[in-house]
Amino acid sequence: MEHSKDFAKGLSIGIIMDGNGRWARSRGLPRTAGHKKGAQVFQDIADYCDELGVESVYFYAFSTENWKRPAEEVGAIMRLFGEYLIKGFDYENRNVRICFMGDRTVLEPKLQELMNKLERDSACKTGLTINIAINYGGRPEIVRAAQSLAARAAAGELKPEDITEEALSAQMYTAGQKDPDFILRPSGEKRLSNFMLWQAAYSELVEMDVLWPDFTRDDLDAAIMEFNRRSRRFGGL
């Protein structure tokens, strides 16, 4: 589809990648097959965001609650995560920055090393920022930020009245980045599921009745067009 120059330029998009398990079950396949197909879609949609001139995209890959799933499924997700981090993008030759959201300390050391390397090697890039939320939860992120400021207050480095919205935002995983203009949830569900609770204060919500493994570039076009039709008032008239 042909787009105007400003169709998606400068947008910040949050994406809850939902429906992998249902996609697999509807085809009589193991849930791991759904995650594999979903990982392929993740790669293509990230590429497309880069082509469209999107400023930043936030992918919800694995939540703090997802550890409750069967060990086999969790292991498959983590293997796919590592595989697509390695193979998914031509980091060296593309102007794309990679950032991770969430507590990575519980992940396999080799995976942590890869995440740290990708962040370090891409820090100088000025194009699309791809944020991947893994072992992430919006409430734990807020608690982490509050604890950081509380520790500084206890050390006498700041006063309670110095704790402002700006100060708290600066302690989030997304510090220095634009809040999402809209959060997209495929699969027909209508909830945030603990995703970017602080940053989503004025984000538009776009739900689509398509499972993530079936999500296409045309679907992203449709979501952006829906967002572009919205009138954002930020509490005003």
Side-chain angles (χ1 to χ4, degrees), residues 167 184 224:
L184 165 66
I224 294 171

Side-chain angles (χ1 to χ4, degrees), residues 72-197:
E72 179 183 358
E73 181 176 350
V74 171
I77 293 172
M78 291 300 167
R79 285 192 297 274
L80 284 167
F81 178 60
E83 176 184 344
Y84 278 86
L85 283 182
I86 296 168
K87 299 180 180 178
F89 305 99
D90 183 6
Y91 297 108
E92 294 184 358
N93 299 309
R94 292 178 63 180
N95 190 25
V96 172
R97 182 166 69 114
I98 310 300
C99 297
F100 296 97
M101 304 160 55
D103 179 9
R104 69 188 71 179
T105 62
V106 301
L107 304 178
E108 290 288 335
K110 288 185 178 180
L111 196 54
Q112 293 184 50
E113 292 173 10
L114 177 58
M115 294 164 71
N116 294 337
K117 183 178 188 301
L118 291 173
E119 285 186 329
R120 185 172 59 250
D121 291 350
S122 68
C124 61
K125 303 299 180 74
T126 58
L128 171 69
T129 298
I130 299 173
N131 296 273
I132 304 171
I134 183 163
N135 194 29
Y136 170 86
R139 286 185 173 182
E141 180 184 27
I142 294 171
V143 169
R144 171 181 173 273
Q147 289 175 337
S148 176
L149 292 177
R152 291 179 58 194
E157 297 175 10
L158 53 79
K159 299 176 182 178
E161 56 268 28
D162 295 329
I163 300 177
T164 61
E165 289 188 19
E166 293 75 18
L168 202 55
S169 290
Q171 300 301 315
M172 298 290 171
Y173 293 117
T174 54
Q177 294 194 59
K178 183 181 179 182
D179 289 342
D181 292 300
F182 73 91
I183 293 180
L184 165 66
R185 180 157 194 163
S187 84
E189 302 293 347
K190 302 181 186 298
R191 58 181 179 274
L192 286 175
S193 295
N194 207 13
F195 184 53
M196 301 190 79
L197 301 182

Side-chain angles (χ1 to χ4, degrees), residues 35-78:
H35 293 303
K36 183 174 183 178
K37 181 63 165 61
Q40 294 167 355
V41 173
F42 153 73
Q43 176 184 334
D44 184 57
I45 295 301
D47 287 342
Y48 191 44
C49 285
D50 188 25
E51 294 172 20
L52 288 174
V54 170
E55 178 177 323
S56 58
V57 59
Y58 302 91
F59 288 102
Y60 201 7
F62 190 87
S63 76
T64 51
E65 290 79 20
N66 287 156
W67 294 106
K68 301 173 185 176
R69 296 184 178 186
E72 179 183 358
E73 181 176 350
V74 171
I77 293 172
M78 291 300 167

